[in-house]
Amino acid sequence: AQTVTQSQPEMSVQEAETVTLSCTYDTSESDYYLFWYKQPPSRQMILVIRQEAYKQQNATENRFSVNFQKAAKSFSLKISDSQLGDAAMYFCAYKDRGGSEKLVFGKGTKLTVNP
Amino acid sequence: DAGVIQSPRHEVTEMGQEVTLRCKPISGHNSLFWYRQTMMRGLELLIYFNNNVPIDDSGMPEDRFSAKMPNASFSTLKIQPSEPRDSAVYFCASSLSGDSYEQYFGPGTRLTVT
């Protein structure tokens, strides 16, 4: 079974600085998707960014980018120019390609942004 | 466009009572997912449907839990009888069927069983 591990329960960053959240995963599949979701205090789950495993190029979405290392099964999220609104729980998630549609989540990292 | 709609947003009930959570997926989506979020176990899939048919219910904890999807625009998750350990936030999500489509989450139902 696939597993997702986020080893940092909490992180903090100063406003306008850069922070990197870590995620590792375990799978025997060669083709899959990886995601980062944001959950603010409102508890709404919001997709931040996704990566297809068959693409070597790292995904970027404005201030958010990932460092995808397939061989190491590592998928970190970098947030540049951090803003107060980035404060939230961040969840890394995995989904098979061509198999089950379910998302497998890590336990999350709570990000605090200090003014 | 309305997102995924869940009701109620909050539910407080006593142990032993029946609880029914409701979900209306985004119109046109044909995959529907129920997830549960707790501090101890994080976010985990309970069950998902494709075209109203249950595909994977391996996450349903026990026989006290049941889920139905009688049509493309409505699903329920029922707990009978409820127990304090069922206290959690229950999310419904929907998507178009297929690998590349995003799952859209509802606002969740916070269930407290006393």
Side-chain angles (χ1 to χ4, degrees):
Chain A
Q2 292 84 1
T3 59
V4 177
T5 302
Q6 294 179 247
S7 58
Q8 306 153 316
E10 296 188 22
M11 292 281 286
S12 64
V13 63
Q14 291 297 125
E15 197 175 2
E17 297 294 306
T18 296
V19 64
T20 299
L21 308 184
S22 301
C23 172
T24 59
Y25 59 94
D26 189 28
T27 182
S28 59
E29 302 295 328
S30 61
D31 213 357
Y32 45 86
Y33 295 90
L34 295 164
F35 306 84
W36 279 98
Y37 277 85
K38 172 184 178 180
Q39 187 179 41
S42 68
R43 85 172 176 240
Q44 181 71 49
M45 294 289 288
I46 303 164
L47 178 64
V48 174
I49 197 166
R50 77 175 207 174
Q51 174 79 41
E52 291 89 345
Y54 59 88
K55 289 186 178 179
Q56 292 189 345
Q57 187 172 6
N58 288 324
T60 63
E61 287 288 342
N62 301 313
R63 298 183 295 107
F64 298 87
S65 61
V66 299
N67 183 3
F68 173 50
Q69 301 289 328
K70 191 173 184 179
K73 295 181 180 176
S74 170
F75 182 62
S76 61
L77 174 70
K78 185 170 83 171
I79 306 174
S80 303
D81 186 25
S82 297
Q83 300 176 0
L84 295 177
D86 295 335
M89 286 289 292
Y90 285 83
F91 293 94
C92 180
Y94 167 100
K95 185 172 81 166
D96 278 338
R97 186 170 188 239
S100 173
E101 292 187 51
K102 76 177 185 182
L103 291 169
V104 177
F105 287 92
K107 290 290 180 69
T109 296
K110 182 179 180 181
L111 178 66
T112 301
V113 180
N114 300 309
Chain B
D1 234 359
V4 176
I5 298 171
Q6 291 187 247
S7 63
R9 292 293 307 275
H10 303 274
E11 176 80 30
V12 180
T13 191
E14 291 184 349
M15 183 174 63
Q17 297 298 305
E18 177 180 294
V19 175
T20 300
L21 310 182
R22 297 172 175 81
C23 176
K24 177 178 170 57
I26 292 172
S27 177
H29 284 187
N30 53 355
S31 289
L32 183 138
F33 308 81
W34 283 100
Y35 292 91
R36 180 171 67 176
Q37 184 176 30
T38 62
M39 289 295 291
M40 290 293 292
R41 299 176 65 92
L43 270 157
E44 51 185 352
L45 179 80
L46 298 177
I47 185 170
Y48 85 88
F49 297 84
N50 184 253
N51 293 321
N52 312 336
V53 175
I55 302 300
D56 181 352
D57 65 354
S58 59
M60 295 287 266
E62 49 197 275
D63 291 346
R64 297 184 299 105
F65 284 70
S66 63
K68 294 182 180 179
M69 192 163 187
N71 57 61
S73 58
F74 185 65
S75 177
T76 59
L77 178 68
K78 185 176 294 186
I79 308 172
Q80 166 64 20
S82 58
E83 297 182 2
R85 61 191 167 122
D86 302 330
S87 298
V89 178
Y90 291 81
F91 287 99
C92 177
S94 73
S95 75
L96 291 168
S97 181
D99 295 326
S100 61
Y101 295 106
E102 176 185 348
Q103 290 184 22
Y104 292 83
F105 283 75
T109 294
R110 179 176 291 282
L111 173 64
T112 303
V113 183
T114 60

